[in-house]
Amino acid sequence: MNRSKTWEMLRPYVMILPAMLAILCFVIYPVFQLLRLSFYKYNLLNRAKSKFVGVDNYEQLFAKEEFYTALTNTVVYTIATVILTMLIALLLALWIHQTKGKKMNALLQAGIFTPHIISIVSIALVWMLLMEPNHGVLNYLLKLAGLPPSKWLQSSSTSMMSVIIVSIWHSVGYYALIILAALKSVPVTIYEAAALDNASRLKTFFKITLPMISPQLFFILIIMTIGSFKVFDTVRIMTGGGPNNSTSTLVYHIYEYRSNNLGYASATGIVLMAFIAILTLVYFRMLSKKIHYQ
C-alpha cells in the first residue's frame, strides 16, 4: 500500500483526533474519576488519609431526606420549565412566522433572543429587584391590577415558581428561534395542497406543521430536560436553595457538600447522571419513532 492510500485511510482519524482527545480528557476521564471518588471518604487536605468506604456514600445519600427534597424540587422545576418553555416558544415562533414585514420580523427575533445572550447573573439580580416584596415592580403591578402582592422569593410556596419564571424568560427566545427556523423550512407546497383540500387551520397545524417540525421539538425536549436537571446558577444567585430548601436542586445539593464530603457529593453526581441517562433513553424509546424526518 503506497503512502497516498495510507494517508487517505488515516486522514479521517487524524482529523478527529484533537476532538477525541478533548472528549477523553474533559468528559470520559472526569466521569470515571467521579465514579471512583464516590466510593471514597475523600480528604481534600491530605490525600493519603482518604479511605475506601464502598457504597457507604450511596447508602448515606438514599437515607437523607435532603436528597429526596432536592430530587423532588428538580423534577418539579424540570417538568414546569420544559413544558412552559416549549409551549411559549412554539407560540412565539408561530406569531413571528406569521408577522409580515422583514424589518418587524427581524426586530421581533432580536427582541426575544436578547435575554438569552445576557449573563444569567445579571438577569437574576435584576429579577430579584423586581420581585422584592415591599418595593418591587411586580408587586406594584399586582396592586394596580387589584391582586394581592406575592412574597416571591421570600416564601417557600412561591420561591420555586419565581425561579421557574426567570429561567423561562431567559431561555424561551433561543428555543423560539430554533422552532422558527424549523417553520421556515416546511415546504409551502404542502400548505397549498392542504388549502386545496379545504383543511382547517387547526387540522393543518396538527397534521402538517407539528409533524414537520417534530425533529426540532424533540431536540429541544432532550436538551432542555438535561439542562433543567443540571440547574444551578439561577438557584445559587436568587435563593441559595431556600427558603427551607424549597428551591434546593440536585446540583445545588452537590455544591453544598463539595468541600466537607467530596465522596458524598460525587455519589450524588453519579446518581444525577444516571437519572439523566435513563430519562434520555426513555425519551428515545417512546418518541423517536414518532418523529417525522423529511
Side-chain angles (χ1 to χ4, degrees):
M1 186 179 293
N2 56 38
R3 287 185 177 181
S4 61
K5 289 185 177 180
T6 303
W7 171 242
E8 284 296 324
M9 184 178 66
L10 294 177
R11 183 169 61 178
Y13 301 99
V14 174
M15 297 295 286
I16 66 171
L17 182 61
M20 295 306 297
L21 288 175
I23 293 173
L24 180 65
C25 292
F26 299 110
V27 178
I28 297 176
Y29 171 74
V31 167
F32 280 101
Q33 184 70 357
L34 184 71
L35 182 62
R36 187 183 73 84
L37 288 175
S38 69
F39 296 110
Y40 280 82
K41 185 175 178 59
Y42 200 81
N43 192 318
L44 287 170
L45 299 178
N46 189 344
R47 185 178 177 182
K49 291 185 178 180
S50 299
K51 185 174 69 172
F52 180 80
V53 293
V55 296
D56 284 1
N57 288 321
Y58 292 94
E59 291 177 355
Q60 181 186 358
L61 171 67
F62 289 111
K64 271 185 177 288
E65 187 179 345
E66 295 175 13
F67 166 73
Y68 293 103
T69 301
L71 176 61
T72 303
N73 290 338
T74 304
V75 171
V76 169
Y77 172 89
T78 300
I79 293 173
T81 304
V82 171
I83 293 176
L84 291 175
T85 302
M86 289 189 68
L87 180 60
I88 297 171
L90 180 59
L91 293 175
L92 283 173
L94 289 170
W95 174 49
I96 295 173
H97 186 59
Q98 294 175 0
T99 302
K100 296 180 179 179
K102 290 185 178 180
K103 289 185 178 180
M104 179 58 69
N105 201 290
L107 184 63
L108 290 173
Q109 290 183 47
I112 65 170
F113 186 68
T114 299
H116 186 73
I117 63 177
I118 301 174
S119 167
I120 188 60
V121 177
S122 303
I123 288 173
L125 291 174
V126 171
W127 274 94
M128 287 173 69
L129 294 174
L130 294 174
M131 291 176 173
E132 207 282 322
N134 298 317
H135 307 289
V137 175
L138 293 183
N139 274 352
Y140 174 74
L141 294 175
L142 288 176
K143 289 178 182 178
L144 286 180
L147 299 173
S150 173
K151 292 184 179 180
W152 299 107
L153 299 169
Q154 309 300 323
S155 172
S156 301
S157 60
T158 57
S159 55
M160 179 57 75
M161 177 192 69
S162 304
V163 173
I164 290 170
I165 289 172
V166 176
S167 298
I168 292 173
W169 187 84
H170 177 244
S171 60
V172 70
Y174 171 71
Y175 297 113
L177 291 187
I178 293 177
I179 297 173
L180 179 63
L183 290 171
K184 290 183 177 180
S185 68
V186 179
V188 181
T189 52
I190 298 178
Y191 291 115
E192 292 174 348
L196 290 174
D197 290 337
N198 294 321
S200 64
R201 284 192 175 185
L202 196 62
K203 193 171 184 179
T204 301
F205 175 75
F206 283 104
K207 296 294 185 179
I208 296 176
T209 305
L210 272 185
M212 294 299 285
I213 66 172
S214 57
Q216 290 78 11
L217 294 177
F218 184 61
F219 166 75
I220 292 173
L221 176 65
I222 295 294
I223 63 171
M224 275 205 69
T225 301
I226 295 172
S228 297
F229 259 90
K230 297 189 297 181
V231 63
F232 170 75
D233 40 16
T234 313
V235 172
R236 175 69 182 87
I237 298 162
M238 298 188 73
T239 64
N244 300 322
N245 287 330
S246 60
T247 57
S248 178
T249 60
L250 285 176
V251 176
Y252 190 80
H253 188 63
I254 295 170
Y255 172 78
E256 287 183 311
Y257 288 91
R258 71 196 183 283
S259 300
N260 59 348
N261 198 340
L262 186 60
Y264 174 85
S266 300
T268 312
I270 292 296
V271 171
L272 172 61
M273 186 173 64
F275 271 122
I276 294 174
I278 292 170
L279 194 56
T280 304
L281 181 62
V282 169
Y283 278 158
F284 273 95
R285 285 293 181 91
M286 292 180 61
L287 301 175
S288 61
K289 293 181 180 180
K290 297 180 181 180
I291 305 303
H292 175 79
Y293 295 99
Q294 297 183 33

